[in-house]
Amino acid sequence: MYKRERKEESLLIVEEEFTKLVHFCAQMTKNKDVAEDLAQETILIAINNISTLREPERQQAWLFGIARNVCLRWLSAHGRDNAHLVQPHSLYLSEETAHSSPEESVADEQDVELVLERKELIELLDRALALLPSQTRTVLIQRYVQDSPLAEIAAELGTNASAVAMRLQRGKLTLRRILTQEMREEMALYTPDTTSADWEITPLWCYNCGRQRFLGQRDPVEGKLLLKCPLCSPDPNEVLNRNYLPVLKGIRGYKPLYSRLAVWCNHYYRSGLETGSAPCIRCGRVISAFIQTPENFPAWMRNTKDMRMWMRHPDDRYIAIACEQCASASVTSLEALILESPVGQQFLQAHTRIRILPSQPLEYHGRATLLTRFESISSTATLEVISDYETYETL
């Protein structure tokens, strides 16, 4: 009889928390439209599993733990759904999108990366909160996650608002110490100096070797994004990926930056290869797009500082869009272009640590082609793409 009464009382408390759950889900997902549905799902899961609650005094923490997991699952699914929405049926842009500007083509993909990065930060914060004393953690969650008034928290704890305010202050200081000291390296991946002239560790893994995280420099005012791998480009003056683009302005996170860059590159280089020309990124002149080995690049290109990396692989053929008038050149590899396609980005989202395998020439339906391969470092997953040898068209 007692157990049944306790269960009914618990179910009533769960239902009374619905308004707070809606607010919590809205804060977690940044989407008010789905918050009520997620809160309802939380309530349903809680009701079906109320018998597993061993400590009734921790019911609120248990309930919001369920809500957190529900929101994280939604965030993950939301990211995947958005990725599918921006994918055309081929590896490159549809005819309709090809006539739009790169700036108009990147918003959805950037949103996906912002969602995923926010999910990672939520998980990191959750781990930091777990290191706090139980009462301190509860007070912080009630105040800053559930947005409960100080008086309400004080009443629940049987104390006064001043004591709660003091506990909140101490809790914030302890949480800051954990994040800035014990979790300093992990936090540095998400909160580096955005205008630093020094190289900083990024959350992105090198896709060439899969063994090191990229080092990066960025400036959201200039639209600057530089990436290099300590193993693949050890020369201090060598940069694997150098970009100063208007489309990157205002973006701070490395993952959203790379996501936006990928969509822009897919549009820019694919359009250039299809039409044989593209606008210079510096002066806007329409210039030729071509595929060549570095030794066959124009002489003025071979003398630029970024060419030393390409010249180390004299037999590889790169995509180049070069403007002699302003001495500006955009160069990329077939492997990078495939990774910047929607299918490549989907593979990278599912497998953050990958490496490029040696490409293989082969004959496909009577055509000379190249087989480009990528493999996951942490699983057996692979991505294989066949491209026409002459045009790099995906087959």
Side-chain angles (χ1 to χ4, degrees):
M1 183 72 176
Y2 170 73
K3 286 185 177 179
R4 188 179 69 182
E5 289 176 353
R6 195 181 76 178
K7 180 178 180 180
E8 290 174 352
E9 180 182 351
S10 295
L11 292 176
L12 181 61
I13 294 173
V14 165
E15 292 173 354
E16 288 175 347
E17 296 285 353
F18 182 73
T19 301
K20 289 183 180 179
L21 284 171
V22 172
H23 179 77
F24 174 81
C25 293
Q27 290 288 101
M28 281 277 292
T29 63
K30 305 301 181 186
N31 189 326
K32 295 181 180 180
D33 295 334
V34 302
E36 189 166 328
D37 291 340
L38 296 177
Q40 289 280 14
E41 183 179 346
T42 300
I43 294 290
L44 183 60
I45 293 173
I47 289 174
N48 290 335
N49 293 275
I50 196 72
S51 60
T52 65
L53 179 61
R54 304 298 181 210
E55 302 176 57
E57 66 275 7
R58 299 192 69 250
Q59 178 169 291
Q60 189 177 61
W62 172 76
L63 179 62
F64 280 88
I66 295 173
R68 178 186 62 82
N69 290 332
V70 169
C71 290
L72 288 176
R73 282 198 300 271
W74 184 89
L75 282 169
S76 180
H78 179 64
R80 286 195 299 270
D81 289 346
N82 275 357
H84 291 312
L85 285 173
V86 299
Q87 283 186 44
H89 293 294
S90 64
L91 289 182
Y92 40 88
L93 298 178
S94 65
E95 181 179 354
E96 179 182 354
T97 310
H99 295 292
S100 63
S101 69
E103 290 83 351
E104 294 170 342
S105 308
V106 296
D108 289 339
E109 192 70 18
Q110 182 198 356
D111 289 343
V112 173
E113 290 299 339
L114 288 172
V115 167
L116 295 177
E117 192 163 87
R118 184 165 63 240
K119 173 179 176 289
E120 292 170 357
L121 281 168
I122 289 170
E123 291 173 348
L124 182 62
L125 181 59
D126 193 52
R127 285 166 46 209
L129 285 169
L131 298 176
L132 296 174
S134 176
Q135 282 195 343
T136 301
R137 180 172 61 250
T138 299
V139 169
L140 286 171
I141 291 173
Q142 286 181 318
R143 178 59 177 162
Y144 297 110
V145 177
Q146 300 169 15
D147 204 25
S148 300
L150 286 177
E152 182 179 318
I153 300 172
E156 288 186 19
L157 297 177
T159 184
N160 56 57
S162 297
V164 171
M166 181 65 70
R167 188 174 296 177
L168 283 170
Q169 179 64 20
R170 290 174 179 169
K172 286 191 293 183
L173 291 174
T174 303
L175 184 61
R176 179 177 298 174
R177 178 183 57 78
I178 291 172
L179 291 171
T180 58
Q181 296 181 21
E182 297 177 33
M183 294 184 169
R184 179 179 55 195
E185 292 186 2
E186 293 176 85
M187 280 298 295
L189 298 178
Y190 302 97
T191 58
D193 181 2
T194 60
T195 58
S196 173
D198 298 323
W199 292 101
E200 54 196 11
I201 300 173
T202 78
L204 305 170
W205 288 92
C206 174
Y207 49 73
N208 284 323
C209 66
R211 296 167 58 193
Q212 292 282 337
R213 291 185 188 272
F214 274 131
L215 300 179
Q217 293 183 23
R218 59 181 179 166
D219 188 331
V221 176
E222 294 182 23
K224 169 185 173 182
L225 174 62
L226 309 183
L227 297 172
K228 65 177 295 174
C229 172
L231 291 180
C232 302
S233 47
D235 186 329
N237 298 316
E238 188 174 292
V239 177
L240 181 67
N241 201 315
R242 184 189 301 271
N243 305 278
Y244 291 86
L245 296 170
V247 73
L248 301 181
K249 290 183 178 180
I251 310 300
R252 295 181 177 274
Y254 276 107
K255 287 188 175 182
L257 272 169
Y258 178 68
S259 177
R260 173 165 286 202
L261 176 66
V263 178
W264 184 90
C265 286
N266 185 60
H267 180 281
Y268 184 68
Y269 288 108
R270 285 293 178 191
S271 298
L273 290 176
E274 289 172 8
T275 63
S277 62
C280 171
I281 60 173
R282 185 174 296 175
C283 70
R285 288 179 66 240
V286 176
I287 50 180
S288 296
F290 55 89
I291 300 172
Q292 277 291 2
T293 57
E295 63 182 13
N296 289 316
F297 285 169
W300 67 267
M301 272 185 70
R302 296 198 303 271
N303 294 326
T304 60
K305 62 181 179 180
D306 286 335
M307 286 301 111
R308 105 179 36 170
M309 179 180 66
W310 308 111
M311 296 298 288
R312 280 196 290 137
H313 306 280
D315 297 327
D316 291 346
R317 297 163 70 245
Y318 298 100
I319 306 152
I321 300 173
C323 179
E324 185 174 5
Q325 179 170 310
C326 63
S328 172
S330 300
V331 182
T332 194
S333 65
L334 175 60
E335 293 84 357
L337 186 59
I338 290 173
L339 282 180
E340 289 157 352
S341 72
V343 168
Q345 286 295 287
Q346 184 180 14
F347 186 72
L348 268 178
Q349 285 177 10
H351 312 282
T352 54
R353 291 187 66 182
I354 68 167
R355 64 183 171 194
I356 299 173
L357 297 175
S359 60
Q360 296 179 356
L362 52 84
E363 186 174 305
Y364 181 76
H365 295 308
R367 300 170 68 172
T369 63
L370 285 171
L371 173 63
T372 306
R373 301 177 299 152
F374 309 87
E375 69 175 8
S376 168
I377 296 293
S378 56
S379 73
T380 59
T382 60
L383 173 64
E384 297 185 344
V385 177
I386 298 176
S387 307
D388 183 271
Y389 180 82
E390 294 297 333
T391 66
Y392 283 177
E393 175 191 1
T394 301
L395 303 179

